[in-house]
Amino acid sequence: LLAFLYLRPGLNSVYSEHSFAIYPLATAAAGGEHRVAKTSDGFSHDLDAMAAAIDANTRIVFLGNPNNPTGTIYRRAEWKRFLERVPENVVIVADEAYFEFVRDPQYPDSMEDHDDRRLLITLRTFSKIFGLAGMRVGYAVARPDMIQMLHNVRQPFNVTSLAQVAAIAGMDDRAHIARTLQVNADGMTYLEREFVRLKLPFVPSHANFFLVDVGDGRAVYDKLLRKGVIVRPMHGYGYPRHVRISVGLPEENRRLVAMLAEAMGAQS
């Protein structure tokens, strides 16, 4: 919706390489042009480089924090410096789908930076911490005039009544959220330890998944799939050596590790 609202041929969006695949797809669908900033270390957003990529035709900057598929974050000092550099006519999209999982005290909650001047929009979802991915429901927070324009371009009934009921129930289920956070924290600790044991390099993550270097992402994905374990190959994101592995329940994590060890042994 944001791309259709703010982009057209001759106008562009700025986003980081190795970021969420929907940013380039939405930009292309709206006829916009792409300005892709390099990462700072191969995995993390470089907000200084992204600010430098903005030109007179830039209308949107997409920022995933944590980033999908790397799980990396940018921190408060970088974010504040970025806000000072972005022109007031550029829409800053803070895509915070995984923010509930972040434990870093320097993580910047973009909700704290909304005012009546800046074109800042925060995107969040019920797909992750609430476990309602199949409902396809999320929300945006922005200035009232921006929200009204989004209403003007969205299709009617784009969120079903069942999804709305599920979202309201999810917000009331604090026990589920607390349990999910604990299961995820325990799973992250376990998987980190097992990746080290298996000598598999991984990107330290602030979300509920890991980007793991397995040598040949497509080959390992195929081997695991035949064993009934689904991971995500990352060649489409520019990481042909990697797969993305989501944290599951304890028994799922243990089975993943066992099957991954077999797959890597067969590969080597």
Side-chain angles (χ1 to χ4, degrees), residues 46-91:
D46 184 337
L47 296 196
D48 290 331
M50 295 184 74
I54 295 171
D55 65 15
N57 295 319
T58 301
R59 292 296 178 270
I60 301 178
V61 180
F62 290 109
L63 298 164
N65 200 37
N67 182 50
N68 178 11
T70 62
T72 54
I73 63 171
Y74 51 82
R75 291 172 172 81
R76 189 170 294 113
E78 303 166 78
W79 168 245
K80 294 294 187 182
R81 188 168 65 245
F82 177 80
L83 290 178
E84 292 174 358
R85 293 185 60 185
V86 177
E88 291 188 3
N89 66 330
V90 173
V91 177

Side-chain angles (χ1 to χ4, degrees), residues 98-113:
Y98 299 92
F99 86 99
E100 291 99 340
F101 295 106
V102 181
R103 292 175 285 177
D104 191 306
Q106 292 303 310
Y107 178 78
D109 181 349
S110 67
M111 295 285 283
E112 298 175 359
D113 294 292

Side-chain angles (χ1 to χ4, degrees), residues 220-266:
V220 171
Y221 160 78
D222 288 336
K223 288 185 175 71
L224 291 176
L225 187 62
R226 287 195 290 270
K227 298 174 184 295
V229 175
I230 301 175
V231 297
R232 178 70 63 86
M234 289 285 106
H235 58 283
Y237 281 88
Y239 296 121
R241 296 178 55 88
H242 294 72
V243 294
R244 192 187 67 188
I245 297 174
S246 295
V247 175
L249 296 172
E251 59 271 23
E252 294 170 331
N253 296 334
R254 290 192 293 269
R255 185 161 187 268
L256 172 277
V257 168
M259 295 300 99
L260 183 60
E262 287 187 18
M264 294 305 298

Side-chain angles (χ1 to χ4, degrees), residues 189-200 257:
T189 299
Y190 169 76
L191 289 178
E192 285 182 345
R193 184 175 67 246
E194 292 301 304
F195 294 151
V196 171
R197 181 180 66 83
L198 294 172
K199 296 182 172 57
L200 294 176
V257 168

